[in-house]
Amino acid sequence: MSLQPVRRESAVEAVLDQMHAQVASGAWAVGDRIPGEHELSARLHVSRPAVREAIRALSHVGVLEVRRGDGTYVRSAADPRPLLRRVERASLRDVFEVQLAYDVQAAKLAALRRTPEDLRRLEGLLRNRDAAEDPADFGEADSGFHLAVAETARNPLLTEAFRFFRHRLRESLSAVREDRDLPEGGPERHHAVLAAIAAGDAEAAGRAAALVVAPTLRALEDVL
Amino acid sequence: MSLQPVRRESAVEAVLDQMHAQVASGAWAVGDRIPGEHELSARLHVSRPAVREAIRALSHVGVLEVRRGDGTYVRSAADPRPLLRRVERASLRDVFEVQLAYDVQAAKLAALRRTPEDLRRLEGLLRNRDAAEDPADFGEADSGFHLAVAETARNPLLTEAFRFFRHRLRESLSAVREDRDLPEGGPERHHAVLAAIAAGDAEAAGRAAALVVAPTLRALEDVL
DNA sequence: CAGGTGTCAGATGTCAGACATCTCGCGGTT
DNA sequence: AACCGCGAGATGTCTGACATCTGACACCTG
């Protein structure tokens, strides 16, 4: 008989779990007003600050909305926690593959929606990237170019998703691979992305974007 | 001179803003232990429960990690809040475009990684989808198929991202378009996705997946 | 000397109680 | 019908006290 670690859950985590379950099950539907803090405190047999901490966490991620003096409402039943938990533990390959999906979609949309000013900006950023010699400068310039492509797509949601995942990716890389740089397609592949975007060719832009990341994924397959 | 609404920020929101700024600026770097609750309370001139609420919110999204008895550490500087805020306010088109990126990437990876059992499962789900008559059943079967494709990709991060965004998409749709169904590619396009996945042809699978969503995006362009 | 145990300071976790401030609904007045 | 004032009920914030945990350090034993 093997002994299992005893995990004692905090009061706030227990409240969070119950609240999530209420929302997920539809007992508290989107638009509903949930019971007040005092009532939840009494019902759940925890202190009111514990209830408040749970509510604060859920309002921070957009699940609940607190209206002072009025009550607390359910704004969304889409719980981001599984995603956020997963991104904390995701392998580099997995993050790169998601990031690739963004890169490709951003390039396609950029090709459809770019303006002359966008193109000038992208050209400048690519020049910066080509000219960067110091690894920190290079990383910055590379990120700057990719992010600008995402912004050229004119889908703010895609841009924010891109930004968040890229930031996480950078952290995972520095935590694990301080000593080793992963390869990425060189200048000519980046120029090919820009050329396809300039030509307004979405399919070519998507293919070119995929070619930029391909060496990275290949290197990850070799290492893992 | 126009008068502006006075927005009074709560103590907890002010603490959150300052903590975010500390993390984003690198003053509190990943791995660092931040000052304790009592110290922050004294320094920020707010009560300790206010500090606790802020810390709870940040630990909920993975930015901070609380170790009872030890202290509170910075786990990640990648703040998901801009993304989560954006997804709350995103247009249907924007969400669909991000979802499309997932669908395409999932189909491509599924083509590379599917097993015979995956294929049997996908076939069954597609049969369910074809047979569904009631709109609620149909929506469920459709989601089931798309999600199974994402799972076949064997990238858990992609699957969770897919799940979250699709849930949000569904909520946006029911909030705005209770009375109107958006078109999606019919059975033959879904079967084409499955055929490409079965054939192990990633490019064809990606193209087929894009064709499934194309009518939806076209309809959105017409409406918006 | 190495390993184990106990103690303590400092950290988070939780609570009760009190008061401040806001919102909304209702009743009364014009 | 529109407006105003009031009050109940809601969230917002604080103080102070105590509980529980962690890590570092000192001490003891083999």
Side-chain angles (χ1 to χ4, degrees):
Chain A
M1 172 178 177
S2 76
L3 300 178
Q4 301 294 333
V6 178
R7 271 200 56 251
R8 291 173 42 88
E9 186 174 49
S10 77
V12 180
E13 294 299 328
V15 174
L16 275 168
D17 290 343
Q18 289 204 49
M19 283 184 168
H20 270 301
Q22 290 291 97
V23 172
S25 70
W28 294 348
V30 175
D32 279 2
R33 183 177 166 288
I34 71 168
E37 295 170 359
H38 286 284
E39 188 179 339
L40 287 171
S41 170
R43 273 214 234 158
L44 297 172
H45 288 194
V46 295
S47 69
R48 195 174 144 222
V51 170
R52 289 185 56 81
E53 282 189 37
I55 287 172
R56 178 70 64 172
L58 291 178
S59 71
H60 193 70
V61 294
V63 170
L64 297 181
E65 177 187 4
V66 178
R67 298 180 204 149
R68 175 174 175 170
D70 185 5
T72 301
Y73 294 80
V74 180
R75 189 194 267 144
S76 165
D79 177 17
R81 214 169 39 152
L83 172 58
L84 297 177
R85 287 293 168 276
R86 178 59 63 179
V87 79
E88 280 169 23
R89 310 179 337 246
S91 68
L92 274 175
R93 187 204 66 168
D94 287 356
V95 184
F96 262 110
E97 283 176 356
V98 172
Q99 196 65 21
L100 172 60
Y102 295 141
D103 271 317
V104 169
Q105 182 72 317
K108 285 183 182 176
L109 294 175
L112 297 176
R113 295 176 184 159
R114 88 280 183 278
T115 64
E117 174 142 1
D118 290 325
L119 294 177
R120 275 193 292 277
R121 181 169 170 231
L122 289 170
E123 280 159 11
L125 289 166
L126 208 37
R127 269 198 304 276
N128 288 348
R129 185 186 183 281
D130 292 344
E133 308 188 327
D134 168 62
D137 289 343
F138 179 80
E140 212 61 42
D142 185 57
S143 273
F145 175 74
H146 283 265
L147 184 59
V149 172
E151 282 164 349
T152 304
R154 293 192 155 76
N155 177 327
L157 180 60
L158 181 60
T159 304
E160 285 303 334
F162 182 90
R163 213 192 291 267
F164 174 66
F165 278 84
R166 195 160 179 97
H167 200 162
R168 291 286 338 196
L169 188 48
R170 277 236 278 332
E171 283 181 350
S172 302
L173 283 170
S174 49
V176 172
R177 304 237 169 256
E178 187 93 29
D179 54 335
R180 183 198 305 242
D181 285 322
L182 287 169
E184 196 187 44
E188 62 292 339
R189 287 190 179 186
H190 285 76
H191 283 274
V193 172
L194 178 54
I197 289 169
D201 186 341
E203 292 308 315
R207 282 196 304 272
L211 286 178
V212 166
V213 185
T216 314
L217 284 169
R218 207 171 305 118
L220 282 174
E221 301 276 3
D222 293 343
V223 169
L224 303 174
Chain B
M1 172 180 178
S2 75
L3 300 178
Q4 301 294 337
V6 179
R7 270 204 51 255
R8 292 174 41 89
E9 187 174 48
S10 77
V12 180
E13 293 300 328
V15 173
L16 275 167
D17 289 344
Q18 289 204 50
M19 285 184 165
H20 269 301
Q22 289 291 97
V23 172
S25 70
W28 295 347
V30 175
D32 280 1
R33 184 177 165 290
I34 72 169
E37 295 170 358
H38 286 285
E39 188 178 338
L40 287 172
S41 170
R43 274 212 234 162
L44 297 171
H45 288 194
V46 294
S47 69
R48 195 175 143 219
V51 170
R52 289 185 58 80
E53 282 188 39
I55 287 172
R56 178 71 63 173
L58 291 178
S59 70
H60 193 68
V61 295
V63 170
L64 298 180
E65 177 186 4
V66 178
R67 296 181 206 150
R68 177 176 175 169
D70 185 6
T72 302
Y73 294 80
V74 180
R75 188 194 265 145
S76 165
D79 177 17
R81 214 166 42 149
L83 171 59
L84 297 177
R85 287 292 168 277
R86 178 57 64 180
V87 79
E88 281 168 22
R89 308 180 337 248
S91 69
L92 274 175
R93 187 203 67 170
D94 286 356
V95 184
F96 261 111
E97 282 176 357
V98 171
Q99 195 65 19
L100 172 59
Y102 295 141
D103 271 318
V104 170
Q105 182 72 318
K108 285 182 180 175
L109 295 175
L112 297 175
R113 297 175 183 159
R114 88 279 182 280
T115 65
E117 174 141 0
D118 290 325
L119 294 177
R120 274 191 294 273
R121 181 169 169 233
L122 288 171
E123 281 159 9
L125 288 166
L126 207 38
R127 267 195 307 271
N128 288 350
R129 185 187 183 279
D130 291 347
E133 307 190 326
D134 170 60
D137 289 343
F138 180 78
E140 212 62 42
D142 184 57
S143 272
F145 175 74
H146 284 265
L147 184 59
V149 172
E151 282 165 346
T152 304
R154 293 193 155 75
N155 177 327
L157 180 59
L158 181 60
T159 304
E160 285 303 336
F162 182 93
R163 212 190 295 265
F164 174 66
F165 277 84
R166 194 160 181 97
H167 200 162
R168 292 291 331 203
L169 188 50
R170 275 235 279 332
E171 282 179 352
S172 301
L173 282 170
S174 49
V176 171
R177 303 236 170 257
E178 187 92 29
D179 53 335
R180 184 200 304 244
D181 285 320
L182 286 169
E184 194 187 47
E188 63 290 342
R189 288 191 177 184
H190 284 77
H191 283 274
V193 172
L194 178 54
I197 289 169
D201 186 341
E203 292 308 314
R207 280 197 304 272
L211 285 180
V212 166
V213 185
T216 315
L217 283 170
R218 206 170 306 118
L220 283 174
E221 301 276 2
D222 292 344
V223 169
L224 301 174

